[in-house]
Amino acid sequence: MDVLINLSLNGLATGMLIFLLAAGLTLIFGLMDVLNFAHGGLFAWGAYSGIWIYSSTGSFFAGIIGAILTGMVLGIITERWIIKPVYGNHVQQILITLGLMLVLSEMLKVVWGPNQISAVTPDYLSGSWEFGGIIIIKYRVFIIAVGFAVFLAVQYLLKKTKIGLVVRAGVMNKEMVQSLGVNIQRVFMFVFMIGAGMAALGGMLLGPYSGVIYADMGMEFAILAFIVVVIGGMGSFTGSVMAAILVGLSGSFMAYYVPDLALAANMLLMAVVLIFRPQGLFGAKG
């Protein structure tokens, strides 16, 4: 039972980190029809900037805020000067954002060096609780709580606020929203900022979770994020969180019980979902 609980918590924590990256991709694709392969770079920049601020100030909370702001600023720059010229052209979007992904990774090496940087869990989140022989690591519970809090906050934003109404209307019919006097470009920028901030938050939280951060981490997690987006359904925010949890749990259990298949588990899971439900678990039929 203790192994089962620990594997489940580990899988949920990993799933929440992937969700924070994948949810931004889902929002950006759902509203803007943009395939942003540079999203992983925002994830990595959030990790580096957040850990640097945390190490400099000693405040983990300041590191989180700094990471989110860094992601948002980079998100604005990316949307205005990189994505905007290639709206409507998926091939150009893929090429230009892949190039940006490589640039962002190399810039991390220029600023912070090519070596891995250690990330320490803050004292109040380190250690574990023990219940009847079952050990529960505090930081994993914290990541799960943050992930679900972000999910609920974005759901509230999308479904209970005026800006959420505009965003959802823009997903269904951009031209109609613009004809009603709404500046759809500002809506695009807002969505991009939210998605980039979530990705940067995920990167920051990953640091103490894994113990180290490195420049190529963005590419590795971006692959997992795209798998989650495909499994959950393109444009489905609820699908992204459910798929992220599924991917996190499958990876955790496979790594423990069948290590040889751990790397292929996510690809196999995606293949099975696409065979029986090509639109994804929560995607609408085309």
Side-chain angles (χ1 to χ4, degrees):
M1 181 59 69
D2 58 334
V3 172
L4 181 64
I5 292 176
N6 278 306
L7 288 176
S8 298
L9 286 175
N10 186 47
L12 283 172
T14 303
M16 286 298 102
L17 292 173
I18 300 171
F19 158 71
L20 290 172
L21 181 58
L25 284 173
T26 298
L27 287 174
I28 291 168
F29 180 83
L31 176 63
M32 304 165 66
D33 193 31
V34 170
L35 293 171
N36 180 21
F37 280 79
H39 209 63
L42 306 179
F43 180 85
W45 268 86
Y48 271 79
S49 60
I51 294 300
W52 176 71
I53 293 172
Y54 168 38
S55 301
S56 301
T57 63
S59 172
F60 185 66
F61 180 74
I64 289 177
I65 298 300
I68 294 173
L69 292 177
T70 299
M72 287 184 169
V73 171
L74 288 175
I76 293 173
I77 295 172
T78 301
E79 195 276 333
R80 291 288 88 181
W81 286 283
I82 305 297
I83 300 295
K84 188 176 180 179
V86 295
Y87 275 140
N89 191 320
H90 285 167
V91 174
Q92 290 186 7
Q93 288 169 8
I94 293 172
L95 293 175
I96 197 169
T97 54
L98 276 175
L100 179 60
M101 174 75 221
L102 296 175
V103 170
L104 289 173
S105 295
E106 292 304 312
M107 287 177 62
L108 285 173
K109 297 175 184 178
V110 171
V111 176
W112 281 285
N115 298 325
Q116 293 182 343
I117 296 176
S118 61
V120 181
T121 305
D123 292 339
Y124 50 87
L125 291 175
S126 62
S128 59
W129 297 295
E130 185 173 352
F131 301 97
I134 298 174
I135 298 175
I136 299 176
I137 298 176
K138 293 180 182 179
Y139 192 70
R140 292 178 184 174
V141 175
F142 171 73
I143 291 176
I144 295 169
V146 171
F148 277 112
V150 170
F151 171 73
L152 293 175
V154 176
Q155 282 285 71
Y156 179 83
L157 178 69
L158 292 176
K159 295 185 177 182
K160 301 294 184 180
T161 65
K162 183 178 179 180
I163 185 65
L165 176 64
V166 173
V167 169
R168 288 186 289 119
V171 171
M172 292 184 285
N173 195 321
K174 301 181 184 67
E175 292 76 16
M176 178 64 73
V177 171
Q178 188 137 6
S179 69
L180 294 174
V182 176
N183 189 332
I184 200 68
Q185 292 301 324
R186 289 185 180 178
V187 176
F188 283 173
M189 181 180 290
F190 173 77
V191 171
F192 216 101
M193 284 175 58
I194 294 296
M198 291 170 63
L201 172 62
M204 169 60 186
L205 295 179
L206 174 68
Y209 179 71
S210 63
V212 294
I213 55 176
Y214 47 96
D216 296 327
M217 60 187 286
M219 182 65 75
E220 294 180 15
F221 272 81
I223 294 172
L224 289 176
F226 274 100
I227 291 174
V228 163
V229 170
V230 172
I231 292 175
M234 301 293 281
S236 172
F237 186 72
T238 301
S240 66
V241 69
M242 298 303 295
I245 291 172
L246 188 60
V247 167
L249 289 174
S250 66
S252 178
F253 279 88
M254 291 294 284
Y256 184 81
Y257 290 107
V258 194
D260 293 339
L261 294 179
L263 293 176
N266 295 320
M267 292 296 182
L268 291 173
L269 179 60
M270 181 174 67
V272 170
V273 170
L274 291 178
I275 288 172
F276 294 100
R277 193 172 172 81
Q279 70 273 26
L281 295 177
F282 291 84
K285 292 184 178 180

